[in-house]
Amino acid sequence: MQREEEKYLKPPLDASPLLQVPSDIFLEIFSWLSPRQSLALRGISREFAVVLDSSAFAATSLSRWRTHVWRNRDPTRLHFRNYNEAWDILFFFPPVTSFPSVYAELVLKGCREIDLSPPRDPPGFHDERYLDAPLSTHVARLVHLKVLNLSCCGLKGELPGGLFRLTGLEMLRLHANGLTGAISPDVANMVGLVVLDLSINAFCGELPASIARMSRLQELDVCENELTGVVPKEVKEMGLVLLGVEGNQFDKQCD
């Protein structure tokens, strides 16, 4: 997938006449475009990009398209079948705009279930168009979320600290991504978790002993990572229904 900044490299055009249009009219006109279409116009000029990146434009655009796209959908559930509508993944990128934060507040704040894990070979699915992005820091705004399944979504980078503030989350599946870094001891703050699946990533460092404080946890899967040290005794003694730790580098030092 192209680097984020390369997506918008286009020959410069003279956008000054458009920028002289009163801001409320400008927002009204361009909000008729889908969010993805409007973001494609960022390359016209730097000034144009500033307007399209603003929270005011994001709110105007998403308010219009929320009604249009979500009219026959349960606002508490976001599933992969909605992917081809394209705007659902604006929560994850591009980070250079205000769309992720406004989308979280305006559209996803009441969401209880997000499952964007693709089925096998879904019709019309193109890998190069999928996430290929870090998990948004704005995930912390989704305080009503119970289920978050972003397995096989092309996520990369480290988990944002705000994720661990979702104390009401019951299921977190991030299987088969490109996530890196250490598993923070703060994961234990997610006291509502029943299922935690971080398998097939590139997490490094030790498995936090703090996980033993997660009294509701029944399934923990960290298979196929790059974890080192030992599996904490406290975690082994939790009596979990599933404890997957194979395919790591336990009893070795982390590079």
Side-chain angles (χ1 to χ4, degrees):
M1 188 173 184
Q2 290 178 302
R3 291 171 56 193
E4 189 63 44
E5 60 268 23
E6 292 174 345
K7 296 179 185 179
Y8 307 110
L9 293 179
K10 298 180 180 179
L13 299 175
D14 183 7
S16 55
L18 284 172
L19 295 173
Q20 293 174 12
V21 175
S23 59
D24 55 340
I25 297 177
F26 180 96
L27 295 179
E28 187 68 20
I29 292 173
F30 284 93
S31 66
W32 282 98
L33 297 174
S34 72
R36 187 171 293 277
Q37 288 173 321
S38 64
L39 289 176
L41 298 177
R42 294 180 70 255
I44 291 178
S45 74
R46 186 180 302 275
E47 293 80 6
F48 210 69
V50 168
V51 176
L52 295 177
D53 292 348
S54 69
S55 57
F57 179 76
T60 302
S61 176
L62 289 175
S63 293
R64 185 181 303 284
W65 283 85
R66 179 187 188 187
T67 302
H68 173 71
V69 177
W70 283 63
R71 61 182 180 275
N72 295 318
R73 285 166 46 183
D74 181 351
T76 68
R77 304 175 73 220
L78 174 59
H79 280 198
F80 176 85
R81 63 177 178 269
N82 309 128
Y83 167 74
N84 284 329
E85 292 168 352
W87 81 305
D88 277 333
I89 59 174
L90 287 173
F91 178 55
F92 299 92
F93 70 98
V96 293
T97 78
S98 296
F99 271 92
S101 60
V102 176
Y103 186 27
E105 189 69 26
L106 185 65
V107 180
L108 295 182
K109 191 171 184 180
C111 215
R112 296 173 61 85
E113 180 177 338
I114 295 178
D115 184 351
L116 294 181
S117 180
R120 290 186 178 182
D121 302 318
F125 176 64
H126 305 286
D127 273 342
E128 69 273 12
R129 291 182 57 211
Y130 213 37
L131 300 184
D132 189 29
L135 181 58
S136 173
T137 58
H138 301 294
V139 70
R141 297 171 181 250
L142 310 185
V143 295
H144 299 292
L145 207 57
K146 298 295 184 183
V147 174
L148 180 59
N149 184 1
L150 299 175
S151 298
C152 306
C153 283
L155 292 175
K156 59 187 180 181
E158 299 185 6
L159 294 179
L163 174 66
F164 308 128
R165 296 202 292 270
L166 298 181
T167 57
L169 195 65
E170 298 174 357
M171 178 185 292
L172 176 62
R173 294 192 183 275
L174 301 175
H175 162 87
N177 284 289
L179 296 167
T180 59
I183 300 174
S184 171
D186 290 341
V187 69
N189 294 338
M190 305 172 77
V191 293
L193 274 185
V194 177
V195 175
L196 176 59
D197 184 356
L198 303 177
S199 60
I200 313 183
N201 281 284
F203 289 113
C204 188
E206 297 186 352
L207 187 65
S210 60
I211 289 175
R213 303 203 307 265
M214 303 169 73
S215 59
R216 296 193 61 197
L217 195 65
Q218 296 182 17
E219 298 182 17
L220 172 64
D221 193 347
V222 293
C223 290
E224 303 296 333
N225 278 282
E226 300 172 11
L227 299 174
T228 57
V230 298
V231 179
K233 178 182 178 182
E234 302 94 326
V235 174
K236 290 181 179 179
E237 295 177 349
M238 290 177 69
L240 300 174
V241 174
L242 170 67
L243 175 59
V245 296
E246 299 80 7
N248 283 283
Q249 301 176 36
F250 288 118
D251 295 322
K252 299 180 181 180
Q253 295 298 314
C254 187
D255 294 334

